[in-house]
Amino acid sequence: MTEPDVGSMRRTGGRRLVLVLYALLVFVGGAAGVLVSVFVEGLSAPRLFGLIALPVSTVGFAAYGAVTVAVLLGVPLLLVAYVSADIDDAPDDG
């Protein structure tokens, strides 16, 4: 039986954890939108990024919450992934 490559497990394990946390937070954003639409009365239509009018419904508020969280967390996450792809993990000799 061969030993697993610990270095690759750390890289994929950390990436998997971040993606699971990201998906969980997007779900929480959508769930918050649903809860707002259910328990708050007299709401006006949500506007996604101030441009796209969504319906005043549970689905509209769920989409607003999920998409807003996905973009606000996803863009910085993509930037971090892009920058970290170029960083060498080898220790310095000096």
Side-chain angles (χ1 to χ4, degrees):
M1 199 179 213
T2 62
E3 292 288 322
D5 182 17
V6 177
S8 68
M9 284 178 49
R10 274 192 216 134
R11 284 192 294 270
T12 59
R15 181 171 291 167
R16 184 175 298 138
L17 175 65
V18 169
L19 290 175
V20 167
L21 287 174
Y22 175 75
L24 180 66
L25 289 171
V26 169
F27 174 78
V28 168
V34 169
L35 292 173
V36 166
S37 70
V38 169
F39 292 110
V40 178
E41 295 181 14
L43 295 170
S44 61
R47 296 185 64 80
L48 196 55
F49 309 119
L51 301 173
I52 303 167
L54 298 173
V56 184
S57 66
T58 303
V59 174
F61 279 95
Y64 177 78
V67 171
T68 301
V69 170
V71 170
L72 289 177
L73 291 179
V75 170
L77 184 61
L78 286 173
L79 291 172
V80 167
Y82 176 74
V83 169
S84 68
D86 293 334
I87 295 176
D88 188 14
D89 290 337
D92 288 37
D93 290 335

